[in-house]
Each structure stands twice: as structure tokens, then as C-alpha cells.
Amino acid sequence: MPVASIKEISAARRLENVRYAIRDLAVMADDLVRQGKKILYLNVGDPNIYDFKTPAHLVEAVARAMRDNKNGYAPSPGIPEAVEAIRNEAARKDITTVQDVFVTSGASEAVDACLTALMNPGENILTPRPDYPLYSAVLCKLGNELTTYDLNEDDGWQPDLRDLESKITSKTRGIVLINPNNPTGAVCTRRMLEQIAELARKHNLVIFSDEIYDKLMLDDDAHISIAAVAPDVPVVTFGGMSKNYLAPGWRLGWGIVSGDAAAVKPYIEGIHRLLRARLCANHPEQYAIKAALEGPQDHLVETNNKLRSRRDLTIKTFNSIPRMSCVSPRGAFYAFPRLEIPEGDDVFVKELLFEKQVLVVHGSGFGQRPGTKHFRVVFLPNEETLTKAYSAIGDFMQKKYS
């Protein structure tokens, strides 16, 4: 009996624009490693591959849960003690109108679930430019058009309110705010948050506030949550264990829905339909949430001291190299230097990798205002490593462009 030939199985067309530049570049670096090259990695925001360690009391909380056989399924919204700890954390952040809390497999799953639960075909959500690529990837997966608003480099990478408002249409459902920002390290002022909240209020929009770095503040000012500034506005605040608590591999995140109870009720029901369908987040790891949010915070002092010093070295260096400039980050552990070069920034990062074995990420991988060129640096490595990498970047620039 003849056997029919199998035709090529193509991927869905809506995935054509799904990119993740941070890890896509690592494939080229892996090829160099196989050739015996040593790479200086400034590309991935994973504290644990540098000189940062998950606090011991969090590890013990998870180990204890495993020994106590907390290894089956958890409730879909999260274990009660974790949910309660997150509610208490929201109160400490001055979020007074919490309507729902849920635990997810990383903040990434919370983002995916919350965008999916809101969007209909033909609608849009406004995302910052530049932004963390997760948001555009989720929107591409859903088949919704990407609509961006600019961050203003001349204003410390604050959102460009005029551009933001000009992008709002009858099809707009929400605004994404990444605060502190990845990739720029910018932190929104209270006045900016108030103005964004007023736009959401005026146009009946949901604000998605990604605050995964809210305890990694590099200057003296405290972080302000937009949900605290605008208790009446529907806000989903994203948080998690990955950055503040140095446990990215545990994949623990959460969402906090606040605002008017009647307004957000049907949306919350939609989110929970999705959460039930995926069963639950990692179970034993959830026992670290209460320990993290309500236990010792000593590691944050050391972490922020390290990051401030490394930030200062980064800014001093990139503002001294010809054809480069850099706005000082105020939170997280990223800098987004600007390039004044004839080539694209994607060409720059590839040549830098092959010639100097320094791996950074091109700014176009995060989206950026047309006509500008940047690259993202992760300044998590120790100062010796950063100095070596920055010296190589300076040498590369001097030889290529002087």
C-alpha cells in the first residue's frame, strides 16, 4: 500500500513577529564558546549567574514544603498564605482597593493571562517603546496589532504623554507601564503616574503596571505604585520573586487587581477562567512568598549597594566614550546607552560579540524610536568584569569609529 508523503507543517502566521532578542543572540555566543572563546555576558537579567544568591530562608521555606509533601496541585489562585502575604504587601505599597490576587508561574504568565483575558480581535493595548519583548510577543500570539507609545530619552525615559494620548482610539483597552523600566532603568515620577492615571480614567482603560523591580531602587527616592496613586482606576500590578528576591528560576509571580469593585468584577472572572484551565503555579515554591514578603529583607541592602556602585561605573564609562551617551538608570539593573553610528545597532552588537566577545542586546530588539540606536547592558556582573567588558567596548569604538 503506497504511503502518502508528509507535507511541511508550518507554524501559525501570527508568530512571524514573535522575537526574543535577549536569548536569540545567545545562540551566536554559544557558537563562539564551542570555538573556545570566553564571552563576557552583559545580556541576561538573571542575578543568580553573577554574584547574587537566593536568601537562605527562602530556600529553606521551599525545602520544608517539599519535605512536608506539598508537592501536589495547589489551588488555582495560589495557596492561601501566599495570597494573603501578597495582599499585605499591596497594603504596604498603599494599594487600598485590592479586588483580587493570584499567583502565577512567573510574572510572565500573569501578563499573558491578563492580556488574554482582556483582548478581543481588532483591539489594542498601548505598550512602551522601548519595552520588554514579552508584551509584544503575547500580543502577536493573540493576533492583536502592536501599538506603541514613546518613552522620552530627553526626559529621563519618562513616558511621552502627548504621544501616549495620541495613540488612544476607540479600540484601545489598556496601557502597559513598566516601572522601573526594562530596558532603560527609568522610574516614573508621581506626577507622571497621576497623568497616566487620568488618561486611563478618561478613556476607561486598564493599566498594566509591571513592578517586578520595585525594590531595586538605585537613588534615594521610594518606588510609587500607580495603583496607590489612582485607587479608582482598574490596575493590574505585576510582581514576583525573580528580581527582588533573586529567585528567577522558581518562576513565581503574581497579579494584584485593584480599582472599582463593580468595574473589574467581570474581568477578574475572565482571568480566573484561564487560571483554572492551567491548574496552578509551582506548588512548593509558593511557600517562599510569605517568607520573602514578611521575613528578613537584609539581602536588599547588599543587592542595592552593589547595583548602585555598578550603575555609577556604567554611567561614567558610557558617557565618556565618544559616540555614546547614557541616561542614568534609577531602578532595576539595566542601562540603555545611545549610539551615534552609521550602522544599525543590531550590526554593532554582532560585531562587538565576534571581535571582543562582549554580549549585549541591540536596542532594536526592544523597539525604539525610529532613527535612534541603542543597546542594553545588564550591569549585574562584578566591577572587575564590568571594567573589562567596558574597556573592550571602548576599544572597539575607538578602533572602528575614530
Side-chain angles (χ1 to χ4, degrees), residues 329-340:
R330 296 173 55 219
F333 36 68
Y334 308 106
F336 204 57
R338 183 165 180 159
L339 292 164
E340 301 294 342

Side-chain angles (χ1 to χ4, degrees), residues 127-205:
T127 60
R129 181 173 67 179
D131 83 331
Y132 180 58
L134 168 67
Y135 294 91
S136 56
V138 171
L139 292 170
C140 285
K141 182 187 76 171
L142 294 174
N144 293 92
E145 182 180 351
L146 184 64
T147 307
T148 61
Y149 66 90
D150 287 334
L151 303 181
N152 186 351
E153 188 171 8
D154 295 330
D155 187 27
W157 290 113
Q158 296 288 304
D160 184 330
L161 276 173
R162 182 175 298 177
D163 186 59
L164 174 56
E165 185 165 23
S166 74
K167 302 293 178 57
I168 297 173
T169 71
S170 61
K171 296 293 187 180
T172 304
R173 299 297 307 279
I175 299 170
V176 171
L177 185 68
I178 305 175
N179 180 41
N181 184 262
N182 177 5
T184 68
V187 176
C188 283
T189 64
R190 175 177 286 274
R191 177 59 180 151
M192 179 59 66
L193 296 175
E194 290 170 345
Q195 291 173 300
I196 293 172
E198 183 54 37
L199 285 179
R201 193 177 288 118
K202 177 181 176 182
H203 296 280
N204 198 38
L205 305 178

Side-chain angles (χ1 to χ4, degrees), residues 13-28:
R13 287 189 296 275
R14 64 177 178 273
L15 302 182
E16 290 174 359
N17 292 320
V18 174
R19 300 285 186 273
Y20 195 77
I22 301 165
R23 294 212 169 189
D24 290 348
L25 280 166
V27 175
M28 291 186 286

Side-chain angles (χ1 to χ4, degrees), residues 310-321:
R310 296 169 192 187
R311 184 274 308 270
D312 293 346
L313 171 63
T314 299
I315 296 309
K316 179 179 179 181
T317 300
F318 289 127
N319 281 324
S320 67
I321 297 175

Side-chain angles (χ1 to χ4, degrees), residues 89-269:
E89 176 73 359
R92 286 189 290 273
K93 289 162 68 77
D94 296 324
I95 304 174
T96 59
T97 56
V98 175
Q99 305 302 335
D100 192 57
V101 168
F102 48 88
V103 180
T104 54
S105 296
S108 300
E109 187 188 40
V111 170
D112 195 333
C114 290
L115 296 190
T116 301
L118 183 69
M119 300 291 284
N120 295 304
E123 296 176 341
N124 67 68
I125 289 175
L126 304 182
T127 60
R129 181 173 67 179
D131 83 331
Y132 180 58
L134 168 67
Y135 294 91
S136 56
V138 171
L139 292 170
C140 285
K141 182 187 76 171
L142 294 174
N144 293 92
E145 182 180 351
L146 184 64
T147 307
T148 61
Y149 66 90
D150 287 334
L151 303 181
N152 186 351
E153 188 171 8
D154 295 330
D155 187 27
W157 290 113
Q158 296 288 304
D160 184 330
L161 276 173
R162 182 175 298 177
D163 186 59
L164 174 56
E165 185 165 23
S166 74
K167 302 293 178 57
I168 297 173
T169 71
S170 61
K171 296 293 187 180
T172 304
R173 299 297 307 279
I175 299 170
V176 171
L177 185 68
I178 305 175
N179 180 41
N181 184 262
N182 177 5
T184 68
V187 176
C188 283
T189 64
R190 175 177 286 274
R191 177 59 180 151
M192 179 59 66
L193 296 175
E194 290 170 345
Q195 291 173 300
I196 293 172
E198 183 54 37
L199 285 179
R201 193 177 288 118
K202 177 181 176 182
H203 296 280
N204 198 38
L205 305 178
V206 179
I207 295 175
F208 299 97
S209 188
D210 188 334
E211 300 181 8
I212 194 76
Y213 303 95
D214 65 341
K215 296 184 180 180
L216 303 182
M217 299 291 288
L218 306 182
D219 293 325
D220 294 333
D221 46 337
H223 180 268
I224 303 169
S225 292
I226 194 167
V229 170
D232 60 311
V233 173
V235 178
V236 184
T237 303
F238 300 121
M241 298 284 288
S242 294
K243 313 301 182 178
N244 293 335
Y245 293 98
L246 310 176
W250 288 359
R251 307 312 302 134
L252 273 181
W254 53 78
I256 303 167
V257 184
S258 59
D260 178 81
V264 298
K265 184 176 185 291
Y267 177 46
I268 290 171
E269 291 173 351

